[in-house]
Amino acid sequence: MPMTYEGGAPVIRDSPALDLANTYFAVRGKPREGLSTPADVAAWVLEVAPQLDGIELPAEELAEAGEADLALFLELRSAVRTLASDLTKGLSPADGPVAVLNRAAALAPASPVLTLTPQGALSKSTRARSTAPRSALSALARDAADLFSGERLHQLRDCQAPGCFLFFLKDHPRREWCTPACGMRVRASRAYYKRTHAEEVSPGS
């Protein structure tokens, strides 16, 4: 089941970039914004941080996210959603969203950092030479680049449940929906249609 942060957007964990795309979502078919404030950005990044390749993202630094960071996250989200939508439809991606993704990826040059653990082993993390919000943004853009140009692309789907705007990776042959909740909703709708249709055509009705 997807986890959620306080902003309400589902965190499916198929891909950090897709989770960013899915911060624009729907509740009962009505659009919802999951990143309304810089505080939403900080809270959401903390939720997905374990997926971001070991990048150090201290909570106190994320809390310093400002309106400019929010604007960059929304710009990248729009680009990821546009590219995902085009690719699931078999369309050629436009230059604009690709340029946005490339700019975001370049915001935080990163390098590996080795540390010695108390047990005497080496542990590798990634340290970006930028603020925590922009380090996260860069990592999300790199994940999107890997997704859209790599082996996972053939798994990319947009959920076909009515009123759902989410993207997901079809990582199992039987998976048809972004979350079990969408699958249950579609099955309930089909059952209701069959029941009411049968009542309409039954003799004596």
Side-chain angles (χ1 to χ4, degrees):
M1 293 295 291
M3 296 178 65
T4 58
Y5 75 112
E6 290 184 359
V11 180
I12 300 175
R13 304 192 190 282
D14 283 345
S15 150
L18 291 186
D19 279 335
L20 175 63
N22 292 341
T23 58
Y24 179 71
F25 61 110
V27 176
R28 296 185 179 90
K30 296 182 179 180
R32 291 285 181 90
E33 174 57 73
L35 299 177
S36 297
T37 67
D40 285 338
V41 168
W44 181 82
V45 169
L46 281 175
E47 184 75 21
V48 301
Q51 303 176 77
L52 295 178
D53 297 330
I55 285 182
E56 297 177 359
L57 297 169
E60 61 273 16
E61 292 185 20
L62 288 172
E64 296 174 0
E67 293 294 335
D69 296 305
L70 172 61
L72 287 171
F73 270 80
L74 295 179
E75 181 183 46
L76 179 61
R77 183 185 70 184
S78 178
V80 172
R81 288 192 62 84
T82 298
L83 290 169
S85 179
D86 287 346
L87 290 167
T88 56
K89 292 178 174 65
L91 303 175
S92 296
D95 291 337
V98 173
V100 168
L101 195 150
N102 288 337
R103 284 198 302 272
L107 280 175
S111 58
V113 177
L114 289 177
T115 56
L116 193 61
T117 69
Q119 293 75 31
L122 288 172
S123 174
K124 187 182 83 167
S125 61
T126 303
R127 183 171 298 159
R129 298 184 293 278
S130 186
T131 65
R134 300 199 180 188
S135 296
L137 190 81
S138 177
L140 289 162
R142 294 196 301 272
D143 181 69
D146 289 343
L147 170 62
F148 295 145
S149 65
E151 296 179 356
R152 294 180 297 169
L153 179 60
H154 77 279
Q155 298 177 325
L156 181 62
R157 302 287 190 278
D158 58 334
C159 187
Q160 296 297 304
C164 184
F165 309 148
L166 304 189
F167 294 95
F168 68 99
L169 297 181
K170 186 178 174 67
D171 54 3
H172 189 281
R174 296 181 61 184
R175 184 176 180 184
E176 296 296 336
W177 318 105
C178 63
T179 65
C182 266
M184 288 169 43
R185 190 158 51 86
V186 170
R187 286 189 289 271
S189 178
R190 288 173 178 170
Y192 175 78
Y193 173 81
K194 288 180 180 179
R195 186 171 64 253
T196 55
H197 185 67
E199 290 172 355
E200 289 171 2
V201 299
S202 61
S205 62

